[in-house]
Amino acid sequence: MTPFSADVLNAFNSALAGIRYGVKIRLPHALLMALLFPRSRSPSARASQIYRAVMTHAWNLGKFVLVYKGALLLLKHSARLDPSLLLSARPGHILGSSPPPSSPSSHLGRPFRPSHAALAGALGGYLVWGEYEHVNYQIILYLLSRVIAGGCRSLASRGVRPFSDRRLRFENTYPALATVTWAAVMYLFECDPDKLQRSLTKSMQEIYHQEDVDLFVLGKVDGGKLKDGLVSVGTSREKEDDILDPEIIKTL
């Protein structure tokens, strides 16, 4: 099999792996979200919601892998380099330096230059993830936080200041990160909740704004009287009986 054919086969195999992984990672999440935050009470509507989320995640991941691997293939094989050099170079090997020894398959489906990874990723990001959709947006937010953290560590390892400063090590800066993050999210939640992601806002409302929760009683009731139990007085109804009314207190 020629190197070009091997790269093409690798691209399709990776795309299938992306689809499988997308189903594996999104299906449990979609099931949980449909149960906790249903958009409809209809079982068929919930099933459709789950199906759309899973297929969007899986297909987009598979398409991105195919675009990314295809772009790497074209960039590598259009470089007009010695095929033996292409196959012997490791990912990240810079053209012009002595390539380290490795097996011919070690470079299969991987970028020959660091810039190739960035270019192929940019192309796939624009073509596949560039259209706004709630599943795509969730994935972008997931990646963004990890890219920022990983970028800071990469700069620190390269000796770039101020990231390489010993005083800015992770164990020293993490408390500040937690402080700023929670200060910002609580400010936005209380003062500008529409700007936060809807699922986050709903979760925080359930925790911090309990007036949105209906009245419920847990315990034993005997003859109309609560013998043993717990009462929550949170309610979303506009008008409620006074909980300090003597007639209500008698039943407790």
Side-chain angles (χ1 to χ4, degrees):
M1 182 180 292
T2 65
F4 185 85
S5 299
D7 273 331
V8 171
L9 181 61
N10 175 265
F12 281 101
N13 285 338
S14 296
L16 291 175
I19 293 173
R20 287 196 302 268
Y21 184 80
V23 173
K24 181 175 70 173
I25 202 70
R26 175 57 65 167
L27 182 57
H29 178 269
L31 286 169
L32 186 61
M33 295 300 291
L35 292 174
L36 294 179
F37 305 108
R39 298 180 182 177
S40 172
R41 296 182 180 274
S42 167
S44 60
R46 292 190 188 186
S48 177
Q49 174 188 344
I50 295 170
Y51 176 80
R52 285 197 305 270
V54 172
M55 294 308 296
T56 299
H57 193 151
W59 280 113
N60 281 0
L61 192 55
K63 287 188 293 185
F64 174 80
V65 173
L66 194 60
V67 171
Y68 175 75
K69 291 279 190 174
L72 290 182
L73 186 155
L74 294 176
L75 288 168
K76 182 173 71 172
H77 287 276
S78 64
R80 295 181 180 178
L81 297 172
D82 181 0
S84 62
L85 176 61
L86 283 171
L87 289 175
S88 64
R90 288 190 315 189
H93 165 61
I94 304 301
L95 182 63
S97 63
S98 300
S102 59
S103 65
S105 62
S106 64
H107 193 67
L108 184 64
R110 298 187 180 186
F112 180 65
R113 295 178 177 176
S115 60
H116 290 181
L119 290 171
L123 180 64
Y126 177 78
L127 294 178
V128 179
W129 307 107
E131 181 179 356
Y132 176 80
E133 201 275 339
H134 75 277
V135 172
N136 290 356
Y137 186 50
Q138 288 174 359
I139 294 172
I140 295 302
L141 290 178
Y142 175 88
L143 292 175
L144 180 60
S145 60
R146 284 150 180 80
V147 166
I148 293 174
C152 291
R153 291 179 178 177
S154 178
L155 292 172
S157 67
R158 296 166 188 260
V160 178
R161 290 186 174 274
F163 302 97
S164 60
D165 194 317
R166 295 177 61 88
R167 293 171 296 180
L168 294 180
R169 286 183 174 180
F170 180 78
E171 59 269 21
N172 297 331
T173 57
Y174 178 77
L177 175 64
T179 301
V180 172
T181 299
W182 277 100
V185 74
M186 295 312 299
Y187 173 84
L188 286 172
F189 171 65
E190 297 290 2
C191 303
D192 209 0
D194 293 340
K195 303 304 184 291
L196 290 173
Q197 197 173 11
R198 187 177 63 173
S199 60
L200 175 60
T201 302
K202 282 188 174 182
S203 300
M204 296 183 74
Q205 283 175 342
E206 188 170 331
I207 298 171
Y208 300 104
H209 292 176
Q210 295 182 1
E211 64 269 18
D212 296 331
V213 181
D214 289 332
L215 178 69
F216 66 91
V217 177
L218 300 175
K220 294 182 180 179
V221 178
D222 184 11
K225 294 185 179 182
L226 182 66
K227 296 295 185 181
D228 181 21
L230 172 67
V231 178
S232 171
V233 294
T235 178
S236 59
R237 284 170 282 188
E238 294 183 0
K239 186 176 181 181
E240 277 295 330
D241 296 329
D242 185 359
I243 60 172
L244 298 180
D245 188 299
E247 294 302 319
I248 295 180
I249 294 176
K250 285 181 183 180
T251 64
L252 301 177

